[in-house]
Amino acid sequence: MSDGAEHGPDALVVAPTVGVEEEFILVDPATEHPVARNGEVAAAASRRGVDLELELTSCQVETATAPHHAVADLLDELTRLRSVVAAAAAEVGVGVIAAGAPPTVPVAFPITDTARYRRIGERFGMLAHEQGVCGCHVHVAVPDRETAIEVSNHLRHRLPVLLALSANSPVYRDADTGHASWRWVLWSRWPAAGPPPHLRSREHFESLVTMFVASGAILDDHMVYWDVRPSDHLPTIEVRVGDVQPTASEAAAFAAIVRGLTLTALRDIDAGIAAPEIDTAILDAAMWKAAHDGIDGAGIDVLTGESVPALDLVGRLVDDISDALDAAGDADLVTAARRSLGSRGNGATRRRRDFRDGTDGPGIAGAAMAEFTG
């Protein structure tokens, strides 16, 4: 993902590359409870030519796409990777779902047996053992870390809308949590999670990371779990706020929106437009409201503090980045996704609808399995 966007008057002509990391939950096909089989599934995927990452808990696996200029190519790879994961899981005798949090869970998740994950489990206790949540991490190429920090500032006030849009974890422990994204609620308990602060410079960012590590609040810089951050291992801006998406097509549309926001931020940076400095209390309230309501209620306009229907906030965001979507060739894809959002809802809408129709927790996982390769 090393191809950054062009700067200057033609900054919107060439779109930067975009890639996606997706985390998935392995489940027992009969009970649909999470199962600790990620090593076996990874081995089966490797035999099919795909290397999976082992996540914090041994009930999870992760895929990562290559960087792509065309979102259509990104969608093709997302679909192919999901198909391989599903086939590998079936070979092992387990199922796989794309859900921000498992609808039914054990008291604690087993930690993947690597040195780093064992240290995290020992240091953070039940905070680690109660996880098993899955995100959709979108990487967009930027020229350098300084630019990534500026883009982070410009994207910070967009995080609540992205969270509402991507919410896909309303059911947990066989209950409706009352939140569209219970994953975000769980994940925000980590020491360096949630929205980042407004970063004054690269030095400011690096001093914060140094403090986190030196104090023991985190083990290493990879544990900076902010909802948007300069990637610690790629020349990208990494947007981590979203739940994993129920389908590959929804993941691709979400990635297109994130790239559109990044292109728009780069345009504003080139024009000397400063990022808005949002009151932390307002941003925190907007994040909680987004996690709670998703797209099916109201959100908070962080620039005014007003309550606004969440779908209207999504519409405003898409309108604000329309030039970037046109320039990247993503306008039609995002328009179609926006129509689908209005008619079908997002992952949280659909899983909650399943639950309220009388389906218990395992049935919710079954619905997620049915959508997995869509």
Side-chain angles (χ1 to χ4, degrees):
M1 299 170 206
S2 59
D3 298 331
E6 292 184 359
H7 283 245
D10 298 322
L12 293 181
V13 172
V14 177
T17 55
V18 59
V20 174
E21 297 165 346
E22 294 193 287
E23 299 164 340
F24 304 125
I25 301 165
L26 304 175
V27 296
D28 183 293
T31 67
E32 297 177 10
H33 293 184
V35 291
R37 307 282 295 277
N38 65 355
E40 297 165 75
V41 172
S46 181
R47 291 192 290 272
R48 290 169 167 81
V50 171
D51 293 327
L52 301 181
E53 291 291 329
L54 302 184
E55 276 299 303
L56 174 60
T57 81
S58 50
C59 305
Q60 297 170 277
V61 294
E62 180 184 57
T63 62
T65 73
H68 293 280
H69 281 290
V71 171
D73 294 336
L74 174 66
L75 175 57
D76 287 345
E77 187 175 9
L78 288 167
T79 302
R80 178 182 66 83
L81 290 173
R82 286 185 178 224
S83 295
V84 170
V85 173
E91 177 184 323
V92 172
V94 303
V96 59
I97 63 173
T104 179
V105 301
V107 173
F109 288 93
I111 299 297
T112 295
D113 190 20
T114 68
R116 182 170 183 274
Y117 286 150
R118 287 196 301 272
R119 287 181 64 206
I120 290 174
E122 291 165 2
R123 173 73 63 83
F124 296 95
M126 286 304 293
L127 190 58
H129 288 273
E130 285 186 343
Q131 287 302 313
V133 298
C134 295
C136 174
H137 303 161
V138 180
H139 289 263
V140 182
V142 292
D144 48 49
R145 175 156 283 194
E146 287 79 8
T147 303
I149 287 168
E150 289 189 84
V151 171
S152 173
N153 289 337
H154 279 264
L155 266 55
R156 185 170 172 261
H157 71 291
R158 305 289 196 174
L159 292 172
V161 183
L162 291 176
L163 176 58
L165 175 64
S166 66
N168 183 32
S169 49
V171 179
Y172 186 73
R173 296 192 185 278
D174 300 322
D176 187 330
T177 65
H179 292 71
S181 177
W182 191 242
R183 177 203 66 89
W184 187 86
V185 175
L186 293 174
W187 193 249
S188 63
R189 298 179 302 176
W190 287 89
H198 186 95
L199 298 167
R200 297 187 297 274
S201 63
R202 176 172 180 164
E203 291 72 25
H204 180 213
F205 169 75
E206 292 177 349
S207 70
L208 289 175
V209 175
T210 298
M211 180 275 294
F212 288 146
V213 175
S215 69
I218 63 176
L219 295 183
D220 50 43
D221 58 1
H222 192 62
M223 288 188 72
V224 177
Y225 292 145
W226 287 332
D227 292 330
V228 57
R229 70 179 186 185
S231 172
D232 65 339
H233 63 290
L234 295 168
T236 64
I237 185 72
E238 181 182 3
V239 175
R240 303 168 49 86
V241 71
D243 286 4
V244 67
Q245 293 300 280
T247 67
S249 58
E250 286 167 299
F254 185 69
I257 289 171
V258 170
R259 180 166 67 174
L261 284 168
T262 302
L263 277 167
T264 302
L266 291 168
R267 177 196 62 193
D268 289 346
I269 291 166
D270 282 338
I273 299 172
E277 294 195 37
I278 306 301
D279 188 296
T280 299
I282 295 175
L283 183 57
D284 287 345
M287 293 300 293
W288 181 86
K289 197 68 165 59
H292 183 270
D293 286 26
I295 61 164
D296 297 312
I300 297 173
D301 182 333
V302 296
L303 298 178
T304 66
E306 295 176 342
S307 179
V308 178
L311 280 174
D312 289 354
L313 291 174
V314 172
R316 291 181 191 178
L317 183 152
V318 172
D319 290 344
D320 286 346
I321 63 172
S322 59
D323 288 348
L325 294 174
D326 285 336
D330 297 336
D332 289 345
L333 173 71
V334 172
T335 297
R338 187 175 172 184
R339 283 197 301 267
S340 177
L341 198 67
S343 61
R344 299 177 64 230
N346 62 3
T349 310
R350 301 199 296 276
R351 296 297 82 83
R352 179 168 280 144
R353 185 183 300 135
D354 293 335
F355 191 79
R356 289 178 177 172
D357 283 346
T359 307
D360 61 11
I364 301 300
M369 279 192 278
E371 287 194 334
F372 181 73
T373 55

